[in-house]
Amino acid sequence: MSIHRPKRATSRKESATARGAGPSGPPKPPKWKEAVAEQPDGAFSAYATGSTFEKDALVAHSKFGKGIVLEVDGNKVQILFEEGIRKLLHGTPSP
């Protein structure tokens, strides 16, 4: 004999996180407009793979434009540009 259970509108996992019972996710990145758009042009460093960057550094990329470093992981950096987050190399000499 089987027990009939009605389907839930949301999964248990979704309803637990909606009530605040789940673990908190990673912090949300800042909005590009608030973090970058109002900064003067002189505050940005030109991006190059051979340069090294620290968290919260302002970067000017030739293709992606102005951005801010969100995370540094070894020789990779995550930079928030107006179009979105990009993972780029840094501290690596050019061939």
Side-chain angles (χ1 to χ4, degrees), residues 12-29:
R12 290 181 189 209
K13 187 175 186 178
E14 288 175 7
S15 62
T17 55
R19 287 180 276 158
S24 61
K28 291 186 178 182

Side-chain angles (χ1 to χ4, degrees), residues 45-90:
S45 300
Y47 172 80
T49 56
S51 301
T52 55
F53 301 100
E54 295 182 6
K55 188 175 186 306
D56 298 326
L58 297 172
V59 178
H61 191 279
S62 59
K63 181 177 179 180
F64 303 122
K66 296 177 181 178
I68 184 168
V69 177
L70 299 178
E71 185 179 323
V72 178
D73 182 24
N75 68 339
K76 296 181 180 111
V77 288
Q78 285 190 8
I79 303 176
L80 173 65
F81 293 103
E82 188 172 15
E83 295 178 353
I85 298 173
R86 300 285 182 167
K87 189 177 271 190
L88 304 172
L89 293 174
H90 80 124

